[in-house]
Amino acid sequence: MKKFNIRKVLDGLTAASSSSSTSAQPGTPKENDAVLETLQSEHFQLCKTVRHGFPYQPSSMAFDPVQKILAVGTQAGALRLFGRAGVECYCQHESGAAVIQLQFLINEGALVSALADDSIHLWNLRQKIPAILHSLKFNRERITYCHLPFQSKWLYIGTERGNIHIVNVESFTLSGYVIMWNKAIELSTKTHPGPVVHISDNPMDEGKLLIGFECGVVVLWDLKSKKADCRYNYDEAIHSVAWHHEGKQFVCSHSDGTLTTWNVRAPAKPAQIITPHGKQPKDGKKPEPCKPILKVEYKTTRAGDPFMVLSGGLSYDTVGRRACLTVMHGKSTTVLEMDYPIVDFLTLCETPYPSDFQEPYAVVVLLEKDLVVIDLGQIGYPIFESPYPLSIHESPVTCCEYFADCPSELIPALYSVGSRQKRQGYSKKEWPISGGNWGQGTQTYPEIIITGHADGSIKFWDASALMLQVLYKLKTAKVFERARGKEEKPSTDIVEEDPFAIQTLFWCPESRMLCVAGVSAHVIIYRFSKQEVTTEVVQVFISQCLTVTGGRGITVWPTLRGIITHAGVNGSLPCSPGYQVELVVQLVWVSGEPPQQITSLAVNSSYGLVVFGNSNGLAVVDYVQKTLLLSMSISELSSPSDPCQRQPCSPRKPRQPSGGLCDSNDASNNSEERCKSPTSGKPLYGKDNAFTRSRSSSVTSIDRESREAISSFYFCESFPRKSDSQVSPCLLVGTTQGSVMMVALSMLPGGDQKPQQPVGFASCGPLVRLKGDILTMALLDAAGTLLPPTYEPWYDPNASDEEKEKVRRRRPSTPPTSQEGHDAQFAVLCSEKQAKVVAMPSQTCVHKHNITETSFVLRADVVQMAGAYCLACFCANGHIMTLSLPSLRPLLDVNYLPLTDMRIARTFCFSNLGQALYLTSPTEIQRITYSQETCDNLQEMLSELFTPVETPEAPNRGFFKGLFGGGAQSLDREELFGETASGKASRSLAQHIPGPGSMEGMKGAASGVVGDLARARVALDERGQKLGELDERTAAMMASADSFSKHAHDMMVKYKDKKWYQL
């Protein structure tokens, strides 16, 4: 993985994609022209697909109790909607203003959002990609609170001036009915009551509106008589208000940590004042003030005591205590500590009717970095296990890899070992947010995403079918036993903050080999096993040499000074099923200087080799034999050499170091190094003898930044030299200065290396040079088909020897040969600036394409698309491009991201079949596609938010309530708020903006035949809807007629034979 320079990223933001040129070099063989390229521009189209993860910086939340859909708004104007597992949706307000409140039109498939820029929007959720139907922008007043009664089309909007306006959500027009603050409060009041912080109607009387002002005044407003019925005054500021379902009492939460309960008909003083977390003085005085209670909810049950749920209100002496949610039920008070500050919470109830017993069953708590759902029906209030991928940011993501169309058995294997890692103690009930339906797409190939994190953990995710579910989590920090002490301060900021952070990783899906490199210059190789074992680990620390420990023996190679194994591991190391440590390599500190970070990494399971490099050179390690095979500096790579063999040496006979990952000037056989672990930065062993010369004493910071480093590796079977006619194992090496070099590997046929069998290496010198860092390399055959590196099929390393023997190494049965004058392969090479295709073995550059001159490429991959292969590139100026192979013909160039940053540069990755992703925020993964086929099928693949569900029946009023006028009182809001009764609202107060999803927006945007067709389509839809309503009415009338006929017949039979005086 290459290092990114922030200056280069910022320079690339303002750069434009340069005019690209594709050229064929002279001397191109004629047979190259015969390569049939099937990919065309029509195969490509770029669009976003889905967004996964926790909503970044959440600000508000709402829940539809009938559809069972949860909506979350963010400070950046984003909307995230959640249903059952796999049902997610993302949409964005164009203004980017913070979402301050959300209100569902319950069971109507619509949502109202209020933003910090004083605009409200109506979203249509009946389509797979929600769209705004209407918008209303207030010009003179700031919006502070919104309330939409159940089954009402009139939205109450409170403002900072203390006024309340009413909006018709069907037409998004203002009513002339306005509640002015000076009419709501008492005339004798000399001060402004402050902004409106609460609006709600009486559950039993829709004509009574409860208005809460910030100063502590609560007003019960009679909508019909347009005056205040009662006013309730308290000295402390109000944060929230909650009704009892009978409409006779309400509760207010205040800034001093108190809760006041008021009887509607007794406004003189509160019926009760309590301080849930206040200390009660013995002398009967008022309790000490506490922190504000930011929100309270009051929910009743038929068979027991009511629930009162509140956030905040802790005493001031609890300094440093985490945020808490308090649940008061009867005489018990339960305080639930949260990991992050609480943004909002909602109590989920069985009924959507506010006039009925609420029967609460769960509480959804929106935290700054998490979403928690608490089960109110079980003792101890356990939480539900979340089915959403909200833990991406559990530790900051440092790298990311994406594998589409991987082996089908991988996901079940990872899930089987990952299921054992699940926490216990969750609620046994099903996840309560269960609305929506999955998509019906035909995309069935397996997809896996791997994320590396700052705490050293690695997560495997199932990303198939536009979903995301965690499969398995690996903690690489467990390898290092020593914990960092408080008094131990490492010398570098990186080690001090995140010593185990994943720098880069390499995964082979076929062999299941995993290799990770950390910021502390350590490399860990893992094998996958389904069995649990205990590995005996032996520690050996030898100065000026590499010591390697593993679970199956130990071999010491005293060649590359400055490499040791995992430090601080003693005795046995228990390994649970999953990825188990095979080998750990650690670059050591030299004379107080930290090692150079590892910049590139590759593993080949067929050869049993892992190669890694940095600014000093490369090292090749045999992870099967636990041996160092090669240590070579970049200068040695650049000059051709004779084949050399690295034989095993006894640890007692250390030999002269040969450069490699440490400077050649630091040569001293007898001096002992001070080896430091990533956990402490302090010496692990050895004397205080230092080298005669510091590793960086002659290297300035400028020289170090400009030093050439290894940027990429690629194992292959190719022609190392121009004169070769038979392929052999090779290693392609790319550097940060654009050099591509070839290293030939001399191995036994079939790759069956014996423990003491020498392996030969020969540097074949430079192959070609490009501009900028080498990002990716690949090999194609003469027909343009990708030649992937050979691999060993996976087998369980802890299985019996007989089972291991059944697995044979997979290698080409008939390796390609090159006839004289003919090239059998194409090497595809891509750097930050250009791409080249080189014919092998002639090493002739047959195609060249200048990708950009003013910007630079951040990520490039050779990917499969529609049965062929292409080169996909992402530039710092936001352009995403694809080039055909091997001709490098431009197929796609879209300016996708107007800006970029280091997070996107670090995490952007392409995959096969037109898939790509990047981290769009610290907590969210954005997946995109550049495939035309996927874009065409996207509607079918996306999940549905709205599903037809019958609204529950209204609570039965009962005989006596109906007889004596009890029960909920309805209100004809249309008659009260309509234009006929209330008149027209001021035009300057708010501006109506038709949304793209509304009829008005379509009329304004459509023109010509397209517009006529669209209007005709909408007219047909409306006509069909009206015909459907007519059918329903006809059916209802027929049912009513049948019922009347039946009752008439019964009456006739009853009184048929009776005389008039018997009636």
Side-chain angles (χ1 to χ4, degrees):
M1 174 179 172
K2 64 182 287 298
K3 288 185 178 180
F4 296 106
N5 190 315
I6 185 62
R7 183 180 299 173
K8 294 171 71 177
V9 172
L10 296 177
D11 292 343
L13 299 181
T14 56
S17 182
S18 68
S19 58
S20 303
S21 62
T22 305
S23 60
Q25 301 300 310
T28 302
K30 293 181 179 180
E31 56 268 24
N32 293 335
D33 299 334
V35 176
L36 179 63
E37 295 182 359
T38 58
L39 286 179
Q40 303 296 330
S41 298
E42 293 75 21
H43 290 100
F44 296 89
Q45 182 182 344
L46 193 69
C47 69
K48 294 181 180 179
T49 53
V50 290
R51 181 173 292 199
H52 302 294
F54 182 77
Y56 184 56
Q57 294 181 336
S59 57
S60 58
M61 178 174 59
F63 182 71
D64 188 326
V66 179
Q67 288 289 319
K68 298 197 180 298
I69 294 291
L70 181 75
V72 177
T74 72
Q75 295 181 19
L79 276 181
R80 294 286 300 280
L81 296 115
F82 299 92
R84 67 178 62 189
V87 176
E88 295 182 51
C89 184
Y90 161 79
C91 38
Q92 175 73 42
H93 294 90
E94 289 185 4
S95 66
V99 181
I100 59 174
Q101 197 172 352
L102 295 170
Q103 288 274 312
F104 272 103
L105 277 69
I106 296 175
N107 204 27
E108 295 292 336
L111 176 72
V112 174
S113 58
L115 306 188
D117 63 353
D118 308 310
S119 63
I120 57 174
H121 308 269
L122 178 64
W123 290 86
N124 178 18
L125 306 182
R126 290 176 178 254
Q127 54 197 60
K128 291 193 173 183
I129 302 178
I132 293 178
L133 295 173
H134 300 280
S135 297
L136 197 64
K137 180 73 167 64
F138 281 74
N139 299 321
R140 296 183 300 180
E141 298 196 46
R142 304 296 307 271
I143 298 174
T144 57
Y145 196 86
C146 297
H147 171 63
L148 181 65
F150 178 47
Q151 293 182 329
S152 170
K153 67 176 184 180
W154 297 97
L155 174 70
Y156 301 103
I157 297 179
T159 68
E160 194 175 37
R161 292 186 180 181
N163 303 324
I164 295 178
H165 302 277
I166 302 170
V167 176
N168 186 323
V169 294
E170 290 182 351
S171 60
F172 246 54
T173 55
L174 276 171
S175 168
Y177 192 112
V178 181
I179 303 175
M180 304 300 292
W181 67 271
N182 53 356
K183 293 183 179 180
I185 64 174
E186 295 181 3
L187 295 176
S188 59
T189 305
K190 297 181 180 181
T191 58
H192 190 278
V196 176
V197 296
H198 177 82
I199 305 171
S200 62
D201 49 343
N202 189 314
M204 286 296 181
D205 189 354
E206 295 176 352
K208 307 292 185 182
L209 196 67
L210 196 69
I211 307 168
F213 295 96
E214 188 181 55
C215 69
V217 176
V218 179
V219 177
L220 186 65
W221 181 266
D222 190 314
L223 292 170
K224 291 182 180 180
S225 63
K226 300 183 180 180
K227 64 178 183 180
D229 272 0
C230 300
R231 297 180 178 91
Y232 313 86
N233 295 284
Y234 194 69
D235 296 337
E236 297 294 334
I238 290 177
H239 286 275
S240 69
V241 182
W243 277 101
H244 187 280
H245 83 277
E246 292 180 347
K248 298 178 181 179
Q249 282 187 335
F250 61 89
V251 177
C252 300
S253 69
H254 298 276
S255 58
D256 63 345
T258 59
L259 293 174
T260 56
T261 303
W262 299 82
N263 291 326
V264 172
R265 298 183 180 180
K269 64 176 183 178
Q272 185 183 30
I273 302 175
I274 62 171
T275 307
H277 297 287
K279 296 179 180 179
Q280 299 293 335
K282 296 180 180 180
D283 54 4
K285 294 183 179 180
K286 186 178 179 180
E288 296 180 0
C290 296
K291 297 177 183 178
I293 297 178
L294 302 178
K295 185 176 182 179
V296 62
E297 289 199 347
Y298 192 16
K299 303 299 179 182
T300 55
T301 60
R302 294 182 187 274
D305 296 318
F307 282 87
M308 196 173 291
V309 186
L310 54 100
S311 63
L314 297 179
S315 60
Y316 281 102
D317 59 2
T318 56
V319 180
R321 188 172 180 179
R322 293 185 293 183
C324 296
L325 187 81
T326 304
V327 180
M328 301 171 65
H329 183 220
K331 296 182 179 180
S332 68
T333 299
T334 305
V335 179
L336 305 173
E337 278 197 352
M338 302 294 160
D339 292 333
Y340 306 101
I342 297 174
V343 176
D344 195 5
F345 74 87
L346 293 171
T347 306
L348 307 188
C349 302
E350 296 289 352
T351 177
Y353 294 93
S355 59
D356 195 9
F357 286 96
Q358 301 299 291
E359 302 294 344
Y361 59 90
V363 180
V364 181
V365 188
L366 179 63
L367 308 176
E368 283 188 359
K369 295 183 180 180
D370 201 2
L371 181 72
V372 177
V373 181
I374 300 167
D375 185 358
L376 293 179
Q378 292 190 29
I379 299 175
Y381 303 132
I383 64 172
F384 290 87
E385 184 178 9
S386 175
Y388 308 137
L390 302 181
S391 60
I392 294 173
H393 64 287
E394 189 175 17
S395 175
V397 177
T398 55
C399 66
C400 193
E401 294 296 336
Y402 189 8
F403 300 87
D405 200 18
C406 50
S408 58
E409 67 274 6
L410 267 176
I411 291 178
L414 289 167
Y415 180 80
S416 65
V417 296
S419 60
R420 307 182 187 185
Q421 299 177 331
K422 290 187 177 181
R423 290 173 49 191
Q424 303 296 323
Y426 288 112
S427 171
K428 298 179 181 179
K429 298 180 182 178
E430 293 185 359
W431 181 253
I433 306 168
S434 56
N437 286 322
W438 295 324
Q440 304 297 324
T442 57
Q443 181 176 311
T444 57
Y445 52 83
E447 298 174 77
I448 291 178
I449 296 172
I450 304 178
T451 54
H453 299 264
D455 63 353
S457 62
I458 296 174
K459 292 181 181 179
F460 292 78
W461 306 83
D462 178 8
S464 308
L466 296 185
M467 297 185 185
L468 193 68
Q469 181 183 11
V470 66
L471 292 172
Y472 173 71
K473 181 179 179 180
L474 174 66
K475 296 181 179 180
T476 64
K478 284 186 175 181
V479 175
F480 302 92
E481 186 186 67
R482 282 188 63 182
R484 184 177 58 198
K486 294 182 179 179
E487 71 283 354
E488 298 177 355
K489 294 184 178 180
S491 302
T492 63
D493 293 337
I494 294 178
V495 175
E496 183 177 5
E497 294 175 359
D498 299 302
F500 307 112
I502 305 299
Q503 178 89 356
T504 183
L505 61 88
F506 187 97
W507 187 53
C508 177
E510 289 79 13
S511 65
R512 306 185 189 178
M513 291 298 302
L514 174 66
C515 188
V516 299
V519 295
S520 299
H522 59 276
V523 177
I524 310 176
I525 300 98
Y526 291 90
R527 282 186 185 269
F528 185 84
S529 174
K530 294 182 179 180
Q531 302 180 21
E532 183 173 356
V533 295
T534 300
T535 303
E536 292 296 329
V537 180
V538 181
Q539 292 188 84
V540 177
F541 300 110
I542 301 178
S543 63
Q544 302 178 16
C545 70
L546 169 73
T547 61
V548 183
T549 62
R552 299 170 184 80
I554 174 165
T555 307
V556 179
W557 288 78
T559 52
L560 181 63
R561 184 190 55 208
I563 299 186
I564 64 170
T565 66
H566 56 285
V569 178
N570 293 300
S572 60
L573 182 67
C575 297
S576 57
Y579 275 99
Q580 300 171 356
V581 178
E582 178 75 9
L583 180 69
V584 183
V585 178
Q586 170 72 60
L587 303 188
V588 299
W589 292 48
V590 179
S591 300
E593 289 290 328
Q596 297 295 315
Q597 288 192 354
I598 295 168
T599 55
S600 188
L601 186 70
V603 176
N604 187 283
S605 57
S606 182
Y607 309 150
L609 302 179
V610 57
V611 57
F612 55 93
N614 58 15
S615 59
N616 291 324
L618 64 84
V620 181
V621 175
D622 186 331
Y623 62 80
V624 178
Q625 303 177 30
K626 314 294 188 300
T627 58
L628 173 71
L629 300 180
L630 177 68
S631 164
M632 187 175 287
S633 65
I634 296 179
S635 59
E636 289 176 318
L637 282 170
S638 303
S639 57
S641 61
D642 295 330
C644 59
Q645 292 182 350
R646 302 299 171 101
Q647 301 267 1
C649 297
S650 169
R652 300 175 183 175
K653 298 178 181 179
R655 63 180 179 180
Q656 184 76 14
S658 58
L661 297 185
C662 51
D663 289 345
S664 57
N665 293 333
D666 302 331
S668 177
N669 259 355
N670 300 323
S671 299
E672 293 188 354
E673 293 178 348
R674 303 182 63 186
C675 304
K676 300 184 179 182
S677 77
T679 56
S680 65
K682 288 197 171 184
L684 296 176
Y685 78 100
K687 304 176 182 178
D688 290 335
N689 297 338
F691 286 114
T692 56
R693 191 172 182 179
S694 170
R695 184 176 62 169
S696 61
S697 59
S698 61
V699 181
T700 64
S701 59
I702 298 177
D703 293 336
R704 182 178 297 178
E705 184 177 353
S706 61
R707 181 189 297 177
E708 186 173 17
I710 304 294
S711 61
S712 60
F713 291 114
Y714 187 75
F715 281 104
C716 60
E717 295 199 349
S718 186
F719 306 93
R721 301 169 184 83
K722 294 182 180 181
S723 58
D724 291 342
S725 60
Q726 192 80 19
V727 298
S728 60
C730 302
L731 175 65
L732 282 172
V733 182
T735 71
T736 55
Q737 294 186 7
S739 296
V740 178
M741 294 161 284
M742 183 88 78
V743 176
L745 282 64
S746 174
M747 307 184 71
L748 289 179
D752 296 326
Q753 291 299 122
K754 303 301 180 184
Q756 297 299 321
Q757 181 67 36
V759 179
F761 297 87
S763 173
C764 302
L767 175 65
V768 70
R769 194 175 185 89
L770 287 77
K771 296 179 182 177
D773 293 12
I774 301 298
L775 299 179
T776 191
M777 300 178 287
L779 209 61
L780 308 178
D781 63 12
T785 304
L786 182 69
L787 294 173
T790 58
Y791 60 86
E792 179 185 57
W794 175 79
Y795 65 89
D796 198 320
N798 299 316
S800 62
D801 294 337
E802 295 179 359
E803 294 181 3
K804 293 180 182 179
E805 289 298 326
K806 294 179 182 179
V807 182
R808 298 186 178 277
R809 300 197 175 190
R810 180 174 177 177
R811 300 178 68 85
S813 55
T814 55
T817 58
S818 175
Q819 300 178 3
E820 187 175 353
H822 295 270
D823 288 316
Q825 294 178 344
F826 296 104
V828 180
L829 313 168
C830 183
S831 72
E832 290 180 320
K833 296 289 187 180
Q834 59 184 189
K836 288 184 179 181
V837 175
V838 178
M840 304 294 286
S842 66
Q843 299 185 5
T844 305
C845 181
V846 293
H847 296 288
K848 173 184 173 183
H849 182 82
N850 293 321
I851 300 173
T852 178
E853 293 291 343
T854 55
S855 184
F856 60 95
V857 180
L858 290 169
R859 178 73 184 234
D861 290 291
V862 175
V863 294
Q864 184 182 6
M865 267 282 297
Y869 294 89
C870 64
L871 178 65
C873 304
F874 171 60
C875 291
N877 57 16
H879 282 250
I880 291 179
M881 292 171 277
T882 59
L883 307 173
S884 68
L885 292 177
S887 67
L888 298 178
R889 175 171 44 90
L891 298 172
L892 174 74
D893 188 352
V894 178
N895 188 5
Y896 172 68
L897 284 173
L899 295 175
T900 188
D901 55 26
M902 290 301 295
R903 181 182 60 253
I904 297 176
R906 189 176 61 246
T907 58
F908 196 102
C909 51
F910 294 98
S911 189
N912 290 329
L913 305 176
Q915 307 299 325
L917 63 81
Y918 60 94
L919 220 68
T920 185
S921 73
T923 63
E924 295 168 292
I925 287 178
Q926 177 66 58
R927 293 169 67 177
I928 62 175
T929 181
Y930 49 95
S931 165
Q932 178 69 55
E933 181 182 2
T934 304
C935 290
D936 293 341
N937 299 327
L938 186 59
Q939 281 287 339
E940 296 181 5
M941 297 163 61
L942 293 175
S943 55
E944 291 180 333
L945 291 171
F946 180 79
T947 54
V949 179
E950 289 189 8
T951 303
E953 292 185 3
N956 190 2
R957 295 173 63 186
F959 176 76
F960 290 103
K961 287 186 177 180
L963 184 64
F964 298 106
Q969 301 295 320
S970 61
L971 173 71
D972 189 351
R973 295 187 178 94
E974 182 68 35
E975 180 182 348
L976 194 60
F977 302 144
E979 188 174 327
T980 305
S982 63
K984 292 185 178 180
S986 172
R987 292 185 178 181
S988 61
L989 180 61
Q991 177 187 1
H992 177 256
I993 306 170
S998 66
M999 185 65 187
E1000 290 82 355
M1002 188 182 63
K1003 286 179 180 177
S1007 61
V1009 178
V1010 177
D1012 293 338
L1013 287 174
R1015 284 189 287 271
R1017 191 180 208 175
V1018 172
L1020 285 173
D1021 291 342
E1022 291 177 351
R1023 185 184 177 203
Q1025 185 177 358
K1026 290 179 180 179
L1027 287 174
E1029 293 175 356
L1030 182 60
D1031 289 341
E1032 292 177 0
R1033 290 177 184 173
T1034 304
M1037 291 175 65
M1038 291 179 65
S1040 178
D1042 291 341
S1043 177
F1044 179 77
S1045 175
K1046 181 180 178 182
H1047 286 297
H1049 179 73
D1050 292 342
M1051 290 288 291
M1052 184 270 292
V1053 171
K1054 182 177 181 181
Y1055 298 108
K1056 179 179 179 182
D1057 298 326
K1058 292 186 178 182
K1059 303 298 181 180
W1060 64 270
Y1061 54 83
Q1062 293 176 327
L1063 297 177

